[in-house]
Amino acid sequence: QVQLTESGGGLVQAGGSLRLSCAASGSISSIETMGWYRQTPEKQRELVATISRLGNTNYANSLKGRFTISRDNSKNTLYLQMNTLKPEDTAVYYCNADIWSVTMTLLNYWGQGTRVTVSS
C-alpha cells in the first residue's frame, strides 16, 4: 500500500508565501516523476509543476518565477515553495507521483489534496 500525504496548506494574505509538502509512504522501491496539480470548482485540475527523479523540472508558464518545486529522494518527499501568492492561486493542491512498488509495479498515485486560500 502506497500513500501520498500533503501538508502545509492554509490561509495566507496576498503577497505571502506557503510551502507545501507531500510525503510518500508504504511499500516503495523508488519514485519517478512527482508533481503538483491544483483544482478549483470552476476549473479542471491543472498542472502546477513536475520534477523528475533526477531533478528536471517543468512549470506551468503562468507560475514560473513564483513557485519552486523540489524533492528529497532520501525522504520520499516533494515540496512546493509558493511565493508572492495571489487570490487566483486559491485552490486545492494535489500531489501526484509515479511510484515503483517493492514488487516492481509502476503505478500513479494522487494525494488527498491540501487547500490553499489566498485572501486579498
Side-chain angles (χ1 to χ4, degrees):
Q1 189 80 3
V2 172
Q3 279 190 318
L4 298 178
T5 305
E6 300 106 330
S7 61
L11 174 64
V12 63
Q13 287 190 328
S17 298
L18 279 176
R19 188 192 196 206
L20 305 183
S21 298
C22 170
S25 61
S27 303
I28 297 170
S29 176
S30 65
I31 304 177
E32 299 294 336
T33 298
M34 303 183 81
W36 291 99
Y37 294 76
R38 67 185 185 183
Q39 188 169 18
T40 66
E42 297 78 24
K43 291 183 180 180
Q44 289 185 327
R45 193 169 295 189
E46 63 178 5
L47 169 73
V48 173
T50 61
I51 183 168
S52 72
R53 183 169 52 86
L54 297 180
N56 298 312
T57 58
N58 177 53
Y59 292 90
N61 287 333
S62 61
L63 301 177
K64 287 180 182 176
R66 292 195 300 122
F67 288 15
T68 302
I69 191 170
S70 61
R71 62 191 285 176
D72 184 335
N73 291 334
S74 68
K75 296 180 180 179
N76 287 340
T77 300
L78 176 71
Y79 303 99
L80 184 68
Q81 178 66 42
M82 304 186 293
N83 298 328
T84 319
L85 282 161
K86 304 176 181 180
E88 51 264 42
D89 294 318
T90 295
V92 177
Y93 285 71
Y94 295 91
C95 174
N96 179 268
D98 292 322
I99 298 177
W100 287 100
S101 70
V102 295
T103 59
M104 300 312 293
T105 301
L106 180 64
L107 293 175
N108 184 262
Y109 294 89
W110 289 94
Q112 83 287 351
T114 185
R115 185 174 298 276
V116 172
T117 303
V118 185
S119 64
S120 57

